[in-house]
Amino acid sequence: MTHTATAPARGARRHAHPALILLVIAGAQLMVVLDGTIVNIALPSMGRYFDKSQTDMTWALNAYALAFGGLLLLGGRMGDILGRRNMFIVGLGLFTVGSFAAGIAPNFGLLLAGRAVQGIGGAIASPTALSLITTEFEEGKERTRAISVYAAVSGAGAALGLLLGGILTNYFSWRWVLFVNVPIGVVLIAGAFLYLHQSERLQGRFDVVGALLSVGGMVATVYGFIHVAHSGWGNTQTYSVFAAAVVLLVAFVFYEAKVAAAPMMPMRIFENRNRSGAYLVMFVVGAGMFGMFYFITFFVQGVREYGPLKTGVAFLPVAFTIGITSQVVARLLPRFGPKPLMIFGTSCLTASLLWFSTVDVGSQYPTKLLPGMIVLAIGMGNLFVPLTVTAVSKVQNTDAGLASALLNVGQQVGGALGLSVMTTVFGTAARNYAADHRTELFGQLVKAVDGNQQVAGQVGAKLGASTNGLSQQDFDKLVGTLPAQYKHGLEAFYAGPYHQFTRELLAHASGKGFLMGAAFGVVAILSAVVLINVSKKDLPTQASPELVAA
């Protein structure tokens, strides 16, 4: 569809130095990118506060990822039609309000609602931020410099989020990983209102129906897998939810291909085999990356008993390795082409997840976790640039933004769906492990209370009813309601057999989750081998804004 301008660009309310304008745009991108890792570090603390299991806490990530990935294309279209500055401010406003709502959340439902609003705001602000660079900076050195800063901020945001998330959670509260966005968002909104220029508005239509169908289908799919993790496959609700997901996703594809006058995801974008292969690889890679961050976060805090700050520092080598490797790969790409780099990257990803699948309660960070994290980071660094280049090669200029944006969609949606599948495997393994060791653990509990079956039954029922395991404080309260003669034995049971049981259960189930991630990695390798066949002469000769930012 051809777009035409309906209104000329208007000037900013106040003139500002280009560096200040870039600070506003890059600051918004930093806030959105930072949120992807800063919340991850705080998830175990959130789970303890809301008494939610590791399986339940996936929703704190997926609520954001599904809203962000599902509405990203619609958000970009809104900026084109309603004005980029206007929608940039709206996106920042929603992100800020969502952060505040999630930060004050007294219950888990409001936390998820706030995270979803954050995702909607990010889906509007992120694509308009990159587009605003083309509005605010003249083509040439000035624009190239601005895009380079934008890209550097995007990369640094992940590392900064890990460190900041650890500091805020460790010294303040998990709520501050959300509250930190509020003052930043207010300042950026004021800066955008005063200093950014209004872009021209284009004629077009919104594909609201397509957005609702796609998001509904993805949410139903994720909910189905999380429900399996809790209740297993022998449940009619599970099959009903999956059936609804299939209907919604099939309806989405049909609507985009046959009905929509202005589809947000036109099917022509998938006609190129290499581009479709790049999207599939990124979809699977997103699952592996989300799963690695998620499961290792809970592993190091639950099994290795790291605090939030130490957890954040433990992840820093991953962010730095990805950044350095990506720079090297960008220089190797013209010489080797995308395919060898993708195969190497997906092989590293798969090998690292297989390595992680062998973790146990004695796995140490320097000898087990760090080597696997470095290999995974090298793999990721070998994928981002080749995937982006492949996605935008031989694409029409009018579809360049869409082609690169779909990679981001694939990463977010793949991460959400992949994490839900890995969590299903984790939950099933945890239930099976608990069932296999329940008798042994109860026997040790009976010994701790001198053979009193009634007291042991009371304590066992309380331990079994707790979703996230009883905290030391809750256990002490429980012991205080029982006869004093059992206090010493129960305290020894909690610090010894019960504590060891929970650590072994978490390590065992995490290993099974990582093994499922490795299966995704095999799919990524096969996709790269079979579908990717782009030649070096087909690579873009000039760096588009989307490519440089990637």
Side-chain angles (χ1 to χ4, degrees):
M1 183 180 66
T2 302
H3 293 289
T4 58
T6 60
R10 295 202 302 262
R13 289 172 174 82
R14 296 185 183 180
H15 294 290
H17 191 278
L20 180 58
I21 294 174
L22 182 58
L23 179 64
V24 172
I25 297 172
Q29 179 66 6
L30 175 64
M31 189 169 67
V32 173
V33 172
L34 183 145
D35 191 78
T37 52
I38 193 173
V39 171
N40 213 85
I41 300 300
L43 286 174
S45 298
M46 292 180 184
R48 287 190 292 271
Y49 179 86
F50 293 112
D51 192 25
K52 294 297 180 181
S53 67
Q54 181 172 335
T55 300
D56 294 324
M57 289 311 299
T58 58
W59 281 111
L61 292 183
N62 288 342
Y64 178 87
L66 289 172
F68 184 89
L71 299 175
L72 187 66
L73 300 181
L74 183 62
R77 180 70 64 86
M78 291 171 70
D80 291 338
I81 297 174
L82 299 179
R84 292 166 184 167
R85 182 180 68 181
N86 293 342
M87 298 316 300
F88 182 70
I89 293 173
V90 169
L92 287 176
L94 288 172
F95 194 92
T96 304
V97 170
S99 299
F100 182 75
I104 65 171
N107 55 64
F108 194 55
L110 184 56
L111 173 72
L112 298 188
R115 291 288 289 158
V117 174
Q118 276 187 296
I120 296 170
I124 297 172
S126 186
T128 52
L130 182 56
S131 299
L132 279 167
I133 289 181
T134 63
T135 302
E136 298 289 342
F137 297 93
E138 294 292 335
E139 188 171 0
K141 291 183 178 180
E142 186 180 8
R143 183 179 296 178
T144 301
R145 189 182 303 114
I147 293 175
S148 298
V149 171
Y150 177 94
V153 164
S154 299
L160 181 61
L162 294 169
L163 194 57
L164 189 58
I167 292 172
L168 292 173
T169 306
N170 198 75
Y171 293 110
F172 299 96
S173 162
W174 63 263
R175 296 184 185 277
W176 280 97
V177 304
L178 298 158
F179 285 148
V180 70
N181 294 321
V182 176
I184 298 173
V186 171
V187 171
L188 292 175
I189 290 170
F193 181 79
L194 293 174
Y195 301 121
L196 295 186
H197 295 81
Q198 182 63 279
S199 64
E200 63 180 11
R201 298 186 184 185
L202 307 178
Q203 290 181 343
R205 298 179 181 179
F206 297 122
D207 186 9
V208 177
V209 174
L212 292 176
L213 287 173
S214 64
V215 173
M218 291 183 294
V219 170
T221 304
V222 170
Y223 177 81
F225 281 113
I226 300 301
H227 190 266
V228 169
H230 280 296
S231 307
W233 289 97
N235 188 295
T236 56
Q237 184 179 350
T238 297
Y239 295 103
S240 299
V241 171
F242 279 126
V246 170
V247 170
L248 287 169
L249 292 175
V250 169
F252 168 69
V253 173
F254 178 81
Y255 183 81
E256 295 296 291
K258 303 294 185 181
V259 180
M264 68 176 191
M265 194 176 74
M267 294 297 112
R268 67 175 182 275
I269 203 72
F270 300 104
E271 292 174 355
N272 183 285
R273 189 181 79 172
N274 290 305
R275 191 175 304 117
S276 297
Y279 294 146
L280 180 58
V281 172
M282 181 58 90
F283 183 89
V284 178
V285 165
M289 185 172 67
F290 270 53
M292 185 277 292
F293 273 104
Y294 186 81
F295 280 103
I296 290 184
T297 297
F298 277 89
F299 184 89
V300 297
Q301 294 193 34
V303 178
R304 300 310 311 161
E305 299 179 333
Y306 283 16
L309 179 57
K310 192 174 181 180
T311 302
V313 173
F315 276 114
L316 286 179
V318 176
F320 291 131
T321 303
I322 290 176
I324 294 170
T325 306
S326 295
Q327 295 296 318
V328 174
V329 168
R331 290 168 173 77
L332 295 176
L333 184 61
R335 180 179 178 184
F336 295 100
K339 185 169 185 172
L341 297 171
M342 286 190 205
I343 294 174
F344 178 72
T346 51
S347 298
C348 287
L349 173 71
T350 306
S352 66
L353 289 167
L354 281 172
W355 174 260
F356 286 136
S357 72
T358 62
V359 294
D360 56 35
V361 73
S363 296
Q364 301 288 327
Y365 176 77
T367 57
K368 187 70 176 183
L369 301 180
L370 181 60
M373 291 162 73
I374 295 297
V375 171
L376 184 138
I378 292 173
M380 303 303 293
N382 274 272
L383 288 169
F384 287 137
V385 175
L387 283 171
T388 306
V389 169
T390 302
V392 301
S393 66
K394 301 183 74 172
V395 68
Q396 300 176 13
N397 291 335
T398 54
D399 288 336
L402 171 65
S404 59
L406 277 172
L407 275 179
N408 202 345
V409 173
Q411 182 184 7
Q412 296 290 328
V413 174
L417 297 180
L419 179 58
S420 66
V421 174
M422 293 171 68
T423 304
T424 299
V425 174
F426 170 90
T428 302
R431 285 200 313 275
N432 293 339
Y433 185 90
D436 292 342
H437 294 80
R438 184 177 292 117
T439 302
E440 177 186 352
L441 185 66
F442 186 75
Q444 292 172 318
L445 176 58
V446 171
K447 289 182 180 179
V449 293
D450 300 328
N452 190 316
Q453 293 280 344
Q454 183 179 359
V455 173
Q458 284 182 259
V459 176
K462 194 71 174 178
L463 293 175
S466 176
T467 305
N468 210 32
L470 275 186
S471 66
Q472 181 70 59
Q473 183 179 7
D474 290 337
F475 188 80
D476 290 341
K477 289 181 180 178
L478 172 63
V479 172
T481 65
L482 301 172
Q485 67 196 74
Y486 302 124
K487 179 179 180 181
H488 179 73
L490 287 172
E491 288 176 345
F493 168 78
Y494 183 86
Y498 179 70
H499 182 63
Q500 183 67 12
F501 166 78
T502 57
R503 294 173 67 234
E504 289 177 349
L505 181 148
L506 181 57
H508 170 78
S510 296
K512 300 301 182 184
F514 283 125
L515 188 61
M516 185 69 244
F520 287 135
V522 172
V523 174
I525 294 173
L526 294 175
S527 301
V529 170
V530 174
L531 297 177
I532 304 299
N533 197 30
V534 63
S535 61
K536 288 181 280 187
K537 65 181 179 61
D538 292 327
L539 300 180
T541 56
Q542 294 183 343
S544 66
E546 293 83 4
L547 181 56
V548 176

